[in-house]
């Protein structure tokens, strides 16, 4: 009887595991747990394992919404940009209304140095998410990279006043103004950025980069602080030279 009971317990466990892997929404939720949902359990490969089974289900014609999106994000974090791009495109092919994926497309194209395609993707994201700052900030940075400073300013200026307490926006705005030699305006933007970043915690920084390993939050925050300080130092030198 004990042997039968033990075998039944093993069978029940196996059936439970199979059931979890057979329900795409459950594997998607399981992936989220390991992809920042529970910070101490962060593990991109484990998250990827579950996302793959959600994006390519065994017993369902369609994956749940954002399964390919999430799988794309894990590839992006790993630097596997071609796979990240493929999965993001699949998300939009299956669910065209999942427009948040345009942001992911923009990031991936940007890291592949395909700036024009990245700018187009961010433009699509901005159109569908007009009240957010990240798409405009990243599009402006890419425009800056290709030398379109005026275009970048047109992209960032609609949110420059609205998001004065957002260090990313103000630091980008500052860099663009510096390139136009508008140093007094650049100083103002940079001081807004410094004020925001001086009170920012590692957790605050990490909210802007969901899916990143929490262990890099401190490094990222310090890099931003250093960038702002360097911009301010350069601005003050330029303003001092103008006075002389």
């Amino acid at each position: 009887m004990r042997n039968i009971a033990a075998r039944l317990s093993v069978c029940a466990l196996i059936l439970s595991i199979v059931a979890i892997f057979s329900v795409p929404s459950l594997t998607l939720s399981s992936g989220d747990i390991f992809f920042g949902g529970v910070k101490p359990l962060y593990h991109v490969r484990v998250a990827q394992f579950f996302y793959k089974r959600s994006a390519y289900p065994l017993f369902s014609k369609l994956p749940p919404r954002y399964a390919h999106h999430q799988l794309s994000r894990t590839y992006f974090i790993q630097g596997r940009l071609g796979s990240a791009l493929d999965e993001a495109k699949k998300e939009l092919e299956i669910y065209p209304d999942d427009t948040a994926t345009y942001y992911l497309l923009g990031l991936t194209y940007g890291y592949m140095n395909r700036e024009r395609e990245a700018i187009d993707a961010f433009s699509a994201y901005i159109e569908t998410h007009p009240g957010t700052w990240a798409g405009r900030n990243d599009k402006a940075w890419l425009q800056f990279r290709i030398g379109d400073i005026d275009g970048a300013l047109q992209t960032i200026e609609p949110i420059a006043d609205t998001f004065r307490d957002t260090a990313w926006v103000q630091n980008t705005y500052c860099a663009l103004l510096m390139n136009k030699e508008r140093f007094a305006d650049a100083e103002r933007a940079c001081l807004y950025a410094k004020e925001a970043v001086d009170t920012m915690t590692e957790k605050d920084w990490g909210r802007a980069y969901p899916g990143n390993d929490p262990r890099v939050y401190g490094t990222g925050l310090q890099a931003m602080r250093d960038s702002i300080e360097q911009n301010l130092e350069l601005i003050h030198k330029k303003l001092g030279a103008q006075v002389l």
Side-chain angles (χ1 to χ4, degrees):
M1 293 295 293
R2 289 181 179 177
N3 288 337
I4 294 174
R7 289 175 182 174
L8 287 174
S9 297
V10 171
C11 288
L13 177 61
I14 292 171
L15 288 173
S16 297
I17 293 172
V18 170
I20 290 173
F21 288 165
S22 300
V23 180
S25 60
L26 290 179
T27 50
L28 180 62
S29 298
S30 299
D32 290 342
I33 290 171
F34 293 97
F35 202 46
V38 180
K39 294 293 190 294
L41 296 180
Y42 180 89
H43 198 296
V44 66
R45 290 189 177 180
V46 174
Q48 192 173 75
F49 171 85
F50 285 109
Y51 288 146
K52 281 182 180 178
R53 278 143 190 81
S54 182
Y56 298 97
L58 293 175
F59 305 108
S60 176
K61 291 183 179 179
L62 290 176
R65 294 183 63 176
Y66 289 108
H68 284 288
H69 176 101
Q70 292 295 81
L71 181 56
S72 174
R73 290 177 62 207
T74 65
Y75 284 131
F76 180 84
I77 292 292
Q78 293 173 323
R80 298 170 61 183
L81 301 180
S83 296
L85 190 63
D86 289 342
E87 294 300 327
K89 287 180 177 179
K90 285 177 183 176
E91 180 70 37
L92 288 168
E93 287 171 7
I94 300 171
Y95 297 108
D97 291 337
D98 289 352
T99 53
T101 304
Y102 283 117
Y103 184 82
L104 185 53
L105 271 180
L107 282 179
T108 306
Y109 278 131
Y111 272 81
M112 297 173 82
N113 297 317
R114 296 165 64 173
E115 286 89 352
R116 302 286 181 181
E117 290 162 293
I119 288 169
D120 288 343
F122 282 128
S123 295
Y125 178 79
I126 291 166
E127 186 176 341
T128 54
H129 296 75
T132 59
W133 62 265
R136 283 188 176 274
N137 185 73
D138 289 356
K139 178 184 174 180
W141 187 250
L142 285 162
Q143 289 172 301
F144 171 76
R145 271 171 50 176
I146 64 173
D148 183 12
I149 307 301
D150 291 335
L153 281 169
Q154 289 176 4
T155 297
I156 202 76
E157 282 179 339
I159 60 170
D161 286 335
T162 310
F163 291 94
R164 285 187 178 179
D165 59 347
T166 303
W168 291 269
V169 171
Q170 297 304 322
N171 199 32
T172 298
Y173 193 32
C174 171
L176 294 172
L177 292 168
M178 287 169 63
N179 275 270
K180 297 296 288 186
E181 298 187 356
R182 293 168 54 185
F183 295 113
D185 293 335
E187 181 186 35
R188 188 179 305 110
C190 220
L191 288 173
Y192 284 138
K194 178 173 170 51
E195 183 179 353
V197 83
D198 281 348
T199 59
M200 190 180 294
T201 66
E202 293 182 10
K203 187 176 181 180
D204 293 333
W205 185 91
R207 288 194 189 99
Y209 301 94
N212 277 19
D213 190 334
R215 290 172 294 185
V216 308
Y217 288 0
T219 302
L221 177 57
Q222 188 58 52
M224 173 175 279
R225 286 174 174 160
D226 291 344
S227 172
I228 294 167
E229 289 291 347
Q230 290 166 9
N231 283 342
L232 275 172
E233 183 179 346
L234 181 58
I235 289 167
H236 292 155
K237 285 181 180 178
K238 294 291 185 179
L239 288 173
Q242 287 180 355
V243 171
L244 293 176

